[in-house]
Amino acid sequence: MPSAPASPASRLHLAVALDGTGWHPASWRDPAARPGELFTAAYWAGQVAEAEAGLLDFVTFEDGLAPQSAHPLRPDDRTDQVRGRLDAVLIAARVAPVTQHIGLVPTVVVTHTEPFHISKAIATLDYVSTGRAGVRVRISARPDEAAHFGRRVFDPLDAYDTPAAQKAVTPLFDEAADYVEVIRRLWDSWEDDAEIRDAATGRFIDREKLHYIDFEGRHFDVKGPSITPRPPQGQPLVTALAHQTVPYRLVARQADIGYVTPYDAADARAIVGEVRAEQDAAGRAGQPLHVFGDLVVFLDDTAAEARERRGRLDELAGEPYTSDARVFTGTAAELADLLEELAGSGLTGFRLRPAVTGHDLPRISRDLVPELQRRDRFRTAYEARTLRGLLGLDRPANRYAA
């Protein structure tokens, strides 16, 4: 007797993190990398189209306020790795009209930017994509990035896991929580029916349905309202990467999706438990919050081929590749086994980082996805028209509407 089909709740969500030619620092030297096209719109449109062909939930676009570096907290002087990038929000806006279903989630550094500007940029992206926008918020404690703006000074840090680093970044995560609160209130500052657009009477908007948000906090004083009407999703998705308690707290307070970096099932279970406890403490118990596991992936027909390719790239880079996330090296079937194991520990989805985008992204969309579909763990067609819909999230009510 055939087994019953899996319920939608037991199916996995999949996203891909796009970063230049891939997450391995020597990825640009791989034959599949196409580094000469990296700063063209066609390159990014092609990557997102590949992800959409695999029915992925969304893609994220990496970004920063200084050139990439081999060290996460300071610049370097290397010239043998990709340096320079396009603006993530503008990439997302450019590829939105040539895609139909996949979510688009650019990264925004919230430490030096203004929430009013970002709120309207992401609201605009939600309009351009007809309801498929999100944002990944991240902080920065790098002195060189602060020097671009001249409004604050940070002491150099060597690592995030030291007491000095924790003392420095904890206020930045508190600031990020306020930042997200401001952008969420600005998205709600226009009621859904605030626009009348009645040419006969000359009434374009109902001013009574535009609201001052009057936010006053430690870090921001923002009056509002926004200049952009409420986005199609009401609230675009807010996401954040988290490695330890302080950023877990940001995810729990303000995010719709948190990306975490477990190394095995027991680690995943502990991380999810901590995030859920922080969610309860933040008064969000029972509200939907996805927790995605991040993994860097080298995918080939055999595990030996994947190991050989990783070794070849390491040799080009001059050192073994390491990451904040677990690095998987093997076949699509082996990766599917691992994802199912980790999902059993409470993760609701995964954000995969292709080691070489030109090689590993097609392996995700053409090998991993069919493998998960055979196991009835992944969709066979897009079932919703918005990113919130793909993730099973309702369109929220406007907090200011009567």
Side-chain angles (χ1 to χ4, degrees), residues 300-342:
D300 284 281
D301 290 333
T302 67
E305 289 177 284
R307 288 193 297 269
E308 190 277 332
R309 184 163 59 91
R310 180 178 177 181
R312 186 170 65 251
L313 290 170
D314 286 350
E315 186 175 354
L316 290 171
E319 58 188 355
Y321 174 66
T322 59
S323 172
D324 59 308
R326 175 171 174 170
V327 181
F328 173 85
T329 307
T331 69
E334 290 168 339
L335 179 56
D337 290 341
L338 175 60
L339 299 187
E340 289 194 301
E341 178 186 359
L342 293 174

Side-chain angles (χ1 to χ4, degrees), residues 165-239:
Q166 290 302 298
K167 183 178 180 181
V169 303
T170 296
L172 298 183
F173 281 105
D174 289 337
E175 179 184 52
D178 275 5
Y179 192 110
V180 175
E181 181 65 23
V182 171
I183 64 174
R184 287 193 181 280
R185 293 189 187 195
L186 287 168
W187 287 335
D188 277 350
S189 64
W190 289 53
E191 294 185 37
D192 289 320
D193 56 351
E195 298 171 81
I196 301 170
R197 304 183 190 181
D198 189 337
T201 64
R203 295 185 69 209
F204 190 86
I205 61 171
D206 182 345
R207 188 60 186 82
E208 297 301 313
K209 295 189 176 182
L210 273 63
H211 300 275
Y212 296 115
I213 69 169
D214 291 325
F215 182 89
E216 296 182 8
R218 281 187 58 197
H219 309 284
F220 304 102
D221 291 333
V222 181
K223 188 171 186 61
S226 176
I227 64 170
T228 306
R230 194 174 193 230
Q233 293 184 101
Q235 293 276 319
L237 269 288
V238 175
T239 76

Side-chain angles (χ1 to χ4, degrees), residues 130-154:
T130 59
R132 294 180 284 123
V135 63
R136 179 201 155 206
V137 297
R138 60 175 287 256
I139 61 105
S140 170
R142 285 178 53 161
D144 59 318
E145 294 194 357
H148 292 322
F149 300 88
R151 293 196 292 264
R152 58 175 86 182
V153 176
F154 293 136

Side-chain angles (χ1 to χ4, degrees), residues 30-274:
D30 187 275
R34 297 157 47 212
E37 302 173 39
L38 183 56
F39 300 111
T40 68
Y43 175 86
W44 293 97
Q47 305 305 328
V48 178
E50 181 66 45
E52 186 171 60
L55 306 177
L56 302 191
D57 290 81
F58 60 92
V59 296
T60 63
F61 304 92
E62 293 301 300
D63 208 348
L65 297 175
Q68 300 94 318
S69 173
H71 193 285
L73 288 167
R74 60 173 181 262
D76 64 15
D77 56 3
R78 296 189 69 154
T79 60
D80 63 331
Q81 298 175 0
V82 171
R83 294 294 181 264
R85 59 169 91 242
L86 302 180
D87 183 274
V89 175
L90 296 180
I91 291 173
R94 175 60 182 84
V95 303
V98 297
T99 56
Q100 293 184 310
H101 305 286
I102 194 165
L104 305 168
V105 182
T107 296
V108 170
V109 178
V110 299
T111 304
H112 303 292
T113 56
E114 291 292 336
F116 188 90
H117 294 151
I118 297 306
S119 73
K120 69 186 183 72
I122 302 303
T124 300
L125 177 60
D126 209 40
Y127 276 102
V128 172
S129 65
T130 59
R132 294 180 284 123
V135 63
R136 179 201 155 206
V137 297
R138 60 175 287 256
I139 61 105
S140 170
R142 285 178 53 161
D144 59 318
E145 294 194 357
H148 292 322
F149 300 88
R151 293 196 292 264
R152 58 175 86 182
V153 176
F154 293 136
D155 292 328
L157 299 172
D158 289 325
Y160 275 122
D161 57 356
T162 65
Q166 290 302 298
K167 183 178 180 181
V169 303
T170 296
L172 298 183
F173 281 105
D174 289 337
E175 179 184 52
D178 275 5
Y179 192 110
V180 175
E181 181 65 23
V182 171
I183 64 174
R184 287 193 181 280
R185 293 189 187 195
L186 287 168
W187 287 335
D188 277 350
S189 64
W190 289 53
E191 294 185 37
D192 289 320
D193 56 351
E195 298 171 81
I196 301 170
R197 304 183 190 181
D198 189 337
T201 64
R203 295 185 69 209
F204 190 86
I205 61 171
D206 182 345
R207 188 60 186 82
E208 297 301 313
K209 295 189 176 182
L210 273 63
H211 300 275
Y212 296 115
I213 69 169
D214 291 325
F215 182 89
E216 296 182 8
R218 281 187 58 197
H219 309 284
F220 304 102
D221 291 333
V222 181
K223 188 171 186 61
S226 176
I227 64 170
T228 306
R230 194 174 193 230
Q233 293 184 101
Q235 293 276 319
L237 269 288
V238 175
T239 76
L241 174 65
H243 296 102
Q244 50 194 224
T245 299
V246 171
Y248 292 157
R249 197 167 295 144
L250 170 64
V251 166
R253 290 170 63 185
Q254 289 288 11
D256 300 293
I257 304 174
Y259 313 116
V260 298
T261 53
Y263 282 83
D264 56 32
D267 195 20
R269 189 173 297 107
I271 291 171
V272 171
E274 185 170 358

Side-chain angles (χ1 to χ4, degrees), residues 10 12-15 265 268 292-297 299 326 328 331-352 364 368-369 371-372 375 377-378:
S10 70
L12 302 178
H13 293 287
L14 284 182
F292 278 31
D294 264 26
L295 297 96
V296 180
V297 296
L299 291 174
R326 175 171 174 170
F328 173 85
T331 69
E334 290 168 339
L335 179 56
D337 290 341
L338 175 60
L339 299 187
E340 289 194 301
E341 178 186 359
L342 293 174
S345 298
L347 298 175
T348 55
F350 298 91
R351 187 177 70 143
L352 305 180
I364 292 168
L368 175 64
V369 166
E371 178 64 30
L372 291 172
R375 304 178 186 204
R377 296 305 300 270
F378 195 67

